[in-house]
Amino acid sequence: MKNYKELESQNIVHTYGRFDVCFESGQGSILKDTSGKEYVDFTSGIGVNSLGYNNEKWVKAVAKQAASLQHISNLYYTTPMIELAQSLVEKSGLSKVFFANSGAEANEGMIKTARKTNESKHTIITLQNSFHGRTLATLTATGQDVFHQHFGPFPEGFAYCPANDLDALKSMVNEDTLAIMMEMIQGEGGVMPLDYDFVQGVKQICEEKDILLLVDEVQTGIGRTGSFLCFQQYDILPDIISVAKGIGGGLPLAAFIMGEKCKDVLQPGDHGTTFGGNPVSCAGGNVVMEYMTEEFFQEVKEKGAYLRARLEAIPHIVRVNGMGLMLGAQLDEGIAVRDVINACNEKGALFLSAKANLRCLPPLVITKEEIARGMDVLEEVLSNWK
Ligand SMILES: *Cc1c(COP(=O)(O)O)cnc(C)c1O
């Protein structure tokens, strides 16, 4: 397509600082742009394309479902949704699923469910530097002041605690505290994992004070960190979690999953969605779920360890945070991450940023060779940084 930049600029609202690349296709973890140039992908569409590009099983299941029934609404039963719910319940250790379309929508539903679970308490404590979405309630839940501008009035009932500060949390908790909501690894916040001890402390406070524990697994979930859900590596069982990004393998799909305390709170008429649990998305999700085995998680951990080791050996990278294939690299002060990403794009490797950090969220099926190919690019770029 000629003039795509000009046409975009004329017709689409400018809310994204897009990179100057137009993509056409992909295979495995390698993408191709419209000029045929190849890129190793460490973004996976922001943690979405968990099975990479042109995964044979996934493409087949999605195409088959699209050819038989693409949508029918939640007024009727469809089997892909029921099958997916069963595996989500089984693998999460929680009890019931509500399907939605996006991370923000799943978080909205999680917040609504928490509110209805105990209508006598009103405050949800979230963490500073968190990110929970772009709708009004999830923007408010997001613990970053930059998001709390322009769009007011914002909904009430949120308070913000510094991450990993148990004393601060203890001093904030009171009779009005309904829930504590957090990401196990703050993704947009820079790939910052919570401390194990902090999470254990949160768990104890929630048990003692009858406070609900809500975990946003939108970025960390579905195998990303080397377990099905990240909370499973912290020895807790939340009351509600949200998942999105990686669950559909590339199609819009999300869910919030409720434990025993909350599973029957929502009743007919309380919540709904037109597209949530769409059969084509769920058919894709069912293929993603087939990959979610202990063996696969072990591979994610091993590839993550290799990626981490490569990152740690690159000049100007001072620290690497994260788990599995969700890693953030802190750069030397004065190096602008956007410039590094642009230079890597130039040489055929795609990376994300998160705050000032370089962020890697490759497809979970990325091979060691593909990781090496991308790391060679990053190493070359940073070794020659002036
Ligand atoms: C991306 C993200 C969201 C928002 O998801 P959308 O699908 O963009 O609405 C919410 N929470 C976390 C932790 C995320 O990473």
Side-chain angles (χ1 to χ4, degrees), residues 167-361:
D167 291 332
L169 182 64
K170 280 179 184 158
S171 71
M172 283 179 76
V173 164
N174 59 36
E175 322 73 69
D176 196 49
T177 308
L178 167 67
I180 297 168
M181 174 170 171
M182 59 201 195
E183 301 154 87
M184 307 314 296
I185 304 174
Q186 296 186 328
E188 302 306 310
V191 193
M192 312 303 267
L194 294 183
D195 297 339
Y196 184 87
D197 291 343
F198 174 73
V199 174
Q200 288 302 307
V202 171
K203 172 185 169 180
Q204 198 182 346
I205 291 171
C206 287
E207 277 166 9
E208 281 169 13
K209 313 250 170 177
D210 191 25
I211 293 169
L212 297 169
L213 181 53
L214 317 181
V215 175
D216 178 343
E217 291 262 8
V218 168
Q219 192 161 149
T220 51
I222 323 296
R224 174 60 55 191
T225 67
S227 52
F228 179 54
L229 297 155
C230 192
F231 78 74
Q232 292 165 329
Q233 296 184 58
Y234 282 88
D235 304 315
I236 57 167
L237 187 64
D239 294 297
I240 318 177
I241 67 161
S242 55
V243 294
K245 293 197 165 88
I247 176 68
L251 290 169
L253 182 63
F256 58 97
I257 314 176
M258 296 144 277
E260 286 301 301
K261 231 184 263 178
C262 303
K263 68 174 187 188
D264 295 319
V265 167
L266 295 181
Q267 291 295 313
D270 279 341
H271 198 50
T273 159
T274 300
F275 286 113
N278 168 276
V280 179
S281 299
C282 286
N286 282 321
V287 177
V288 171
M289 289 303 287
E290 277 180 41
Y291 281 75
M292 297 293 117
T293 63
E294 286 309 318
E295 203 185 348
F296 186 79
F297 302 145
Q298 196 52 40
E299 284 170 24
V300 168
K301 279 186 182 155
E302 281 162 18
K303 291 184 293 190
Y306 174 65
L307 176 57
R308 177 187 283 267
R310 285 294 309 257
L311 287 166
E312 281 171 346
I314 291 175
H316 300 300
I317 289 180
V318 291
R319 197 189 152 88
V320 179
N321 283 321
M323 292 157 77
L325 288 171
M326 177 173 181
L327 296 176
Q330 190 189 330
L331 305 172
D332 264 333
E333 222 169 299
I335 299 184
V337 65
R338 177 101 187 174
D339 295 341
V340 175
I341 292 174
N342 272 321
C344 289
N345 287 359
E346 212 46 39
K347 293 185 187 303
L350 301 180
F351 294 96
L352 294 163
S353 63
K355 290 278 174 73
N357 298 336
L358 186 90
R359 177 171 44 152
C360 301
L361 295 175

Side-chain angles (χ1 to χ4, degrees), residues 125-132 141-144 159-164 169 180-183 186 194 198 202:
I125 297 177
T126 70
L127 299 183
Q128 289 174 12
N129 197 47
S130 56
F131 181 79
H132 296 298
T142 293
Q144 301 185 51
Y160 314 99
C161 174
N164 294 323
L169 182 64
I180 297 168
M181 174 170 171
M182 59 201 195
E183 301 154 87
Q186 296 186 328
L194 294 183
F198 174 73
V202 171

Side-chain angles (χ1 to χ4, degrees), residues 21 23 25-27 29-41 344-350 373 377:
V21 196
F23 283 108
S25 64
Q27 184 65 48
S29 298
I30 308 295
L31 280 161
K32 245 187 212 166
D33 71 13
T34 45
S35 74
K37 180 180 162 189
E38 288 191 355
Y39 303 77
V40 190
D41 182 22
C344 289
N345 287 359
E346 212 46 39
K347 293 185 187 303
L350 301 180
R373 182 171 157 187
V377 169

